[in-house]
Amino acid sequence: MKNLTTAIYSQMAGSAFGTSINSRLYKGQAPDGTSYPYSCYFVVTNTPERTFTEDYRNVIVQFSLFSSESGSTEIENMAAALEALYDEQPMTVTGSTLIWMKLTSTTGANKEDHITPSGTQSVWVVHSDYEIMTSLD
């Protein structure tokens, strides 16, 4: 799983998605006080799939995008950049061969209330799920 985390961050470095979130991509959740925009991701499932001769991992990763802009343009651009970066794109995962990484579902941009140290703030949110299939080397 550590190698997949490294691959996700390496793919983001220098990308339009990385620029759109100012390279603020966090595993799990963002630290208190993180400036918007940013993204978090976490592993939803990590399912082994084995045959007699091969060992695969089928992983579902959810990316959550957050924007405090008054309109939805920024978050929609972030979501488009995320999709362009990871959906059906090659990615190097050390110790594995990437079979695919594909977008399986995404929510439209919605407003959600986030509790911050200074109070509650309404922000734009998009959640996108990706299925990642790898073959262990």
Side-chain angles (χ1 to χ4, degrees), residues 14-105:
S15 70
F17 175 64
T19 299
S20 75
I21 60 170
N22 297 310
S23 298
R24 290 189 289 262
L25 176 63
Y26 303 98
K27 189 171 185 179
Q29 70 180 46
D32 286 341
T34 297
S35 298
Y36 296 98
Y38 67 86
S39 178
C40 297
Y41 77 97
F42 68 95
V43 173
V44 177
T45 61
N46 179 6
T47 307
E49 296 186 14
R50 297 183 180 101
T51 67
F52 291 108
T53 59
E54 298 175 303
D55 192 4
Y56 297 96
R57 291 294 180 267
N58 189 348
V59 179
I60 303 295
V61 173
Q62 182 177 83
F63 290 86
S64 297
L65 312 175
F66 302 92
S67 168
S68 62
E69 291 293 308
S70 59
S72 64
T73 301
E74 180 178 66
I75 195 93
E76 290 166 347
N77 289 339
M78 291 164 57
L82 175 73
E83 185 174 343
L85 179 63
Y86 291 116
D87 187 36
E88 300 283 349
Q89 297 300 312
M91 183 169 68
T92 301
V93 182
T94 303
S96 300
T97 301
L98 180 70
I99 309 298
W100 66 67
M101 180 171 182
K102 58 186 174 181
L103 179 65
T104 59
S105 67

